[in-house]
Amino acid sequence: MFIIYVGIDVKSVPIDIREKFVFTKEELAEANSKLNQEKSILENVILSTCNRTEIYAVVDQVHTGRYYLKRFLSRWFNMPLEQIDGWVNIGVKENAVKHLFEVAVGLDSLIMGEPQILGQVKQAFFNAEDNGTTGVIFKHLFQQVISFAKRMHTKYPTSELSLTSHQAGLHQIKTHLGSVKGKTLAVVGLGDVGSHLLKNASTMGFKHIYTLNRTDSKAIAAADHLGENVSAIRYQELPEMVNRVDAMATATASKTPILKFDSKIDAPIKILVDLGVPRNVQLKSREVGFDYFDIDDLHEILDDNNELRDKMLAKTSLEIPQEVSDFYIWQKELHVVPVIRDLRKSALVIESNVYDSLMNKLPDLDEHEQKVIRKHLKSVINQMIKGPIKQVKELSVKDDANFDLEFFCDIFGLPKEDIK
């Protein structure tokens, strides 16, 4: 059995081509079923997102499996096979498994390290599993991949690193406030940057958010779409807001400052993030009674974040080869599972026979004494087979594993049919 993946290259194939190769949610069940009926395909999972379409399959032969996977794409999307050849990436064996790990942790995403793809990988597997197109190989592989990706996202939390100026601004606000629970925020300006900032802030848990815009009707419309904790304030009330909120973010296109601070103020505001270019806020001194960050301050943070993210992703990448190796060790051990099962079954028969013999010879034992004997018998049996089980697992990864396993079965009087 071999693992193959065939995918439309998310990084090199233009979007006008990629968008032709998308499976809708409603199509996935039928597509998985039809693919599973193709010659050579033993197991399959289809992963289809807005940016990628990939098929992972367990096949009996590499050459035929590769052909039937491409032919399936050609027929499903009504595309000539020769065009499919020019658009797909193909990975076989270890390369295919490595690619799946890289996809799940975001190393193959357009936005490196993004965590959303993990949920999409999980859903793709569950869809295939529900449709009966997965088996023992993919059940183990995808569970291993999902566990690994979760572990990496916890160990190297790249998603917590801000990638845009408004994300960096919100991160600074949250950091300086300690917690946004019970805190208030004012968002001034509703262009592209301000609108994104307001939308993200509305889900962070602030007690209340006030939005202001030169056109009051735009602020009212934005607040109406974002729930009860967001309300619009008339723009002319802007100077008063520093006395009403814990934090403020400005993102207007004004060519002149909209706020000026000549001296230190005694107000509740603790942090002001200025995303305007030119700057929206004029300070005579940084000693104004609150923390202030302009766009250059945030870009320094973003540069640091990008450097840290690259380091985290590099460390994640270094952990994948061991995962791939672990998977193939597990796969090689598959044929040893029946041997271990038979060994345990044989040991249990011996345990039962010895126990029955003891009970016949010692009929006066009470319930507690019988329980103690059974417990110690189990302990003896488990200790005796622990070594052989460990050894037989080691034998299973050798090149001449079948010969060694047959010899092992001869020693312990076990059937040899399942190791062929």
Side-chain angles (χ1 to χ4, degrees):
M1 295 182 293
F2 307 95
I3 295 176
I4 296 180
Y5 98 89
V6 173
I8 306 301
D9 188 351
V10 65
K11 294 180 179 178
S12 66
V13 176
I15 190 170
D16 61 325
I17 300 298
R18 296 202 311 269
E19 64 188 5
K20 299 178 187 297
F21 293 90
V22 176
F23 295 91
T24 66
K25 292 181 180 179
E26 295 74 23
E27 292 175 328
L28 276 175
E30 181 185 358
N32 270 312
S33 293
K34 284 194 172 181
L35 176 58
N36 201 247
Q37 295 168 15
E38 293 280 359
K39 183 179 179 182
S40 195
I41 309 299
L42 305 176
E43 300 181 36
N44 55 271
V45 172
I46 297 175
L47 172 63
S48 187
T49 73
C50 58
N51 277 325
R52 72 173 66 243
T53 293
E54 295 180 343
I55 298 175
Y56 296 87
V58 178
V59 300
D60 58 0
Q61 297 181 69
V62 171
H63 177 72
T64 54
R66 187 163 40 202
Y67 169 77
Y68 284 106
L69 286 171
K70 290 190 295 182
R71 193 185 74 167
F72 169 77
L73 287 173
S74 172
R75 290 181 174 181
W76 185 272
F77 294 108
N78 194 27
M79 293 281 182
L81 190 57
E82 56 270 21
Q83 287 186 342
I84 298 288
D85 276 330
W87 291 331
V88 297
N89 280 335
I90 299 176
V92 179
K93 302 177 184 177
E94 286 86 351
N95 287 335
V97 174
K98 178 174 178 286
H99 178 74
L100 178 56
F101 277 102
E102 291 173 341
V103 168
V105 295
L107 286 173
D108 193 59
S109 297
L110 292 176
I111 301 177
M112 294 280 282
E114 57 91 8
Q116 289 83 3
I117 186 63
L118 173 57
Q120 294 164 334
V121 169
K122 287 170 62 177
Q123 192 56 54
F125 169 68
F126 292 147
N127 287 340
E129 186 177 42
D130 291 343
N131 208 47
T133 63
T134 61
V136 65
I137 301 294
F138 272 177
K139 284 181 180 179
H140 182 93
L141 174 59
F142 275 82
Q143 287 171 1
Q144 183 184 344
V145 166
I146 292 166
S147 295
F148 172 75
K150 286 180 178 178
R151 191 165 70 252
M152 291 301 99
H153 285 313
T154 300
K155 189 174 181 180
Y156 307 115
T158 55
S159 62
E160 296 180 8
L161 300 174
S162 304
L163 299 177
T164 64
S165 58
H166 79 266
Q167 288 177 335
L170 284 173
H171 180 75
Q172 287 304 106
I173 288 172
K174 181 179 179 181
T175 299
H176 278 66
L177 295 181
S179 169
V180 299
K181 186 177 181 181
K183 301 297 195 303
T184 53
L185 169 71
V187 177
V188 187
L190 292 172
D192 287 342
V193 174
S195 295
H196 280 99
L197 187 146
L198 177 63
K199 184 177 180 180
N200 287 352
S202 68
T203 65
M204 290 175 60
F206 283 96
K207 177 183 178 182
H208 202 83
I209 300 174
Y210 303 96
T211 181
L212 302 87
N213 194 69
R214 286 187 183 276
T215 305
D216 289 337
S217 59
K218 188 172 183 179
I220 294 171
D224 287 344
H225 281 88
L226 292 175
E228 296 180 355
N229 73 320
V230 181
S231 60
I233 297 293
R234 290 183 304 164
Y235 191 75
Q236 66 187 52
E237 298 182 38
L238 172 59
E240 303 170 17
M241 293 307 295
V242 294
N243 294 306
R244 296 178 57 182
V245 297
D246 299 293
M248 180 181 292
T250 64
T252 77
S254 175
K255 292 185 178 181
T256 58
I258 61 174
L259 288 172
K260 295 182 180 181
F261 298 92
D262 296 328
S263 60
K264 186 174 182 179
I265 64 171
D266 183 17
I269 188 169
K270 298 177 179 64
I271 177 171
L272 195 157
V273 172
D274 184 352
L275 298 171
V277 180
R279 286 177 290 183
N280 296 158
V281 180
Q282 183 181 85
L283 303 179
K284 284 288 184 68
S285 166
R286 287 274 179 154
E287 299 298 324
V288 288
F290 56 84
D291 290 309
Y292 172 80
F293 292 86
D294 62 23
I295 198 71
D296 282 352
D297 297 324
L298 298 178
H299 279 168
E300 289 180 12
I301 295 170
L302 291 175
D303 289 342
D304 290 342
N305 283 353
N306 286 332
E307 183 178 352
L308 181 57
R309 183 190 61 173
D310 291 345
K311 290 180 179 178
M312 287 183 174
L313 293 175
K315 290 179 179 179
T316 298
S317 182
L318 289 175
E319 298 203 29
I320 290 178
Q322 183 60 54
E323 292 292 321
V324 175
S325 176
D326 289 346
F327 169 74
Y328 276 99
I329 288 174
W330 169 84
Q331 191 182 47
K332 288 179 180 179
E333 289 179 349
L334 267 181
H335 62 303
V336 82
V337 172
V339 177
I340 295 174
R341 181 195 61 214
D342 291 337
L343 179 61
R344 288 190 179 279
K345 188 184 296 184
S346 175
L348 287 174
V349 170
I350 294 172
E351 175 198 333
S352 179
N353 290 340
V354 171
Y355 179 79
D356 289 342
S357 176
L358 283 172
M359 292 306 100
N360 289 332
K361 294 176 180 179
L362 303 169
D364 297 327
L365 294 176
D366 60 30
E367 185 176 345
H368 173 70
E369 291 169 331
Q370 293 176 21
K371 185 176 180 180
V372 169
I373 289 176
R374 180 174 287 279
K375 179 181 178 180
H376 281 276
L377 274 176
K378 285 184 178 295
S379 177
V380 170
I381 292 295
N382 286 335
Q383 288 183 58
M384 288 188 68
I385 65 174
K386 181 179 179 180
I389 287 176
K390 183 177 180 180
Q391 289 301 315
V392 78
K393 284 183 177 180
E394 295 294 325
L395 291 175
S396 68
V397 297
K398 293 185 176 180
D399 292 336
D400 55 348
N402 282 357
F403 175 83
D404 290 333
L405 290 174
E406 288 182 13
F407 182 62
F408 182 92
C409 290
D410 285 337
I411 292 174
F412 287 93
L414 304 176
K416 294 183 284 186
E417 292 80 5
D418 290 334
I419 64 176
K420 300 295 185 181

